[in-house]
Amino acid sequence: MADITNQSLNEIIENVKTKKVSSTELTKAYVKNIESAKKLNAFVTTTFDQALDKAKQFDNKPNFDQLLPGIPLAVKDLFCTENTKTTAGSNILNNFIPSYESTVTKNLWDHGSFLLGKLNCDEFAMGSSNETSHYGNVINPVGDQLVPGGSSGGSSSALAADLTPATIGTDTGGSIRQPASFTGTVGLKPTYGLCSRWGIVAFASSLDQAGPMTKTIQDCAIMLEAMSGFDKKDSTSINKKEEQYSKNLKDNIKGLKIGIPKEYRVDNMPKEVDELWEKGKKILKDLGAQLIDISLPHTKYALPTYYIVAPAEASSNLARYDGVRYGYRSKQGKDLIEMYEKTRSEGFGDEVKRRILIGTYVLSSGYYDAYYLKAQKVRQLIKKDFDDSFKKIDAILTPSTPSSAFKIGEKTNDPVSMYLNDIFTVPVNLAGLPALSMPAGVDNKGHPLGLQLIGKALDEQKILNIGYAFEKNCCFRNKIKKWWS
Ligand code: GLN
């Protein structure tokens, strides 16, 4: 058989079900790929022995009725995994071995899959390039000088390099969709509350959402189906009937109304991004969708609002890392206060410290009303723009990112230019809506670019259907030369 790892998750599942490949053969093939791809630095931890054991157990007693039968999966190192180190890309958690499993990963294992390893990410998921990780930057398989996006950069890199058949990331301001766009893969940020946050290392709790990262839209539907669902351990989890996204996937989008927001055409956007957007519009129109110009007037405030709300919540969430309860503890402090100080200054990297400083400032008395409270009000206006538009449309089409993958080191000394990467992705998190990034083409350097589909709350099926129809007609295939092995 041809390379068994170079296929979609759906094809791999079919191969397992029809016994063309065993779970053990599959797992061994991924282990081999991972071992020859150390240069990419996509993994923080591998769990090969455990994975091979699980594969053997599956092969001895297969259950082909599961959604993910005998499928090994690597996941972002932000998901707590029982008895397996979980670092969140930080030095402060370099010795943290959770005694519990996140709900989302447990859901995946309950559907027949098992853990292959933990994927590198920006420290506490703060970043757009995977350069803030304590465990080193990750390389984009598209090119050895390129970032894989962030914060789920280990996930996007591993997926694009065939080191895992599918994966999961988290998206607080774009961390699934932006790395998907940079690597020519599919990434979905679900509606806030669709996937449980329980057991995920918290960044900004009112924005964080877990979601699938896959090679195809169908794979994305399979993974979403497996990982989502109500969880009483997360007070923001939505209690609703579970959906069969993959079974209900349809490619007929005739008559659907697609909104095109004028505010997503920004200054200095490369010509190719604009052209790609035009191409996307044409494809959807040719498939029978109706394009409707819309306005989301508060979009320009989304980035500043996000960079107040997210650091504020982060500064509160990260207060728990004090060297006492768990994680890294400095040996330097002479007394308790000094131990706290040294632990936090040695344990956190620069970007995390920057966010804690900003967050603490905007929450401080005297500045709270001017910054945090104001940001919460603007957040409501951003949400209202979407609500008003969705009265007349089914979904929104925009570029996923203002550029393709940039070079390693290009933006590390300029946080604001790094933050500008999130310009098209953060509004969706602030409004709690689902959004999908799908590969749509390449720029003049041959680097992938994605288009984003935004849906109404809980309308994942519709954006998956539009993506499915788009994928069939766009004819874009991500071609990556395996230069690293
Ligand atoms: N790049 C954004 C940030 O640095 C988003 C990160 C994320 O979605 N986790 O905050």
Side-chain angles (χ1 to χ4, degrees), residues 125-128 151 170-175 203 306-307 355 422:
M126 297 173 192
S128 305
S151 64
T170 58
D171 191 313
T172 303
S175 277
F203 166 7
Y306 172 83
Y307 276 98
R355 308 276 178 123
D422 306 327

Side-chain angles (χ1 to χ4, degrees), residues 112-189:
S113 68
F114 48 82
L115 183 68
L116 192 53
K118 306 292 295 286
L119 297 164
N120 206 339
C121 58
D122 276 305
E123 187 177 3
F124 285 99
M126 297 173 192
S128 305
S129 62
N130 219 300
E131 293 170 292
T132 73
S133 170
H134 175 70
Y135 304 93
N137 63 286
V138 175
I139 293 172
N140 190 334
V142 169
D144 64 352
Q145 305 294 312
L146 299 175
V147 302
S151 64
S152 312
S155 302
S156 63
S157 174
L159 175 68
D162 297 334
L163 312 184
T164 181
T167 185
I168 53 173
T170 58
D171 191 313
T172 303
S175 277
I176 288 177
R177 291 160 287 157
Q178 186 254 20
S181 177
F182 279 13
T183 52
T185 54
V186 175
L188 172 72
K189 183 208 91 73

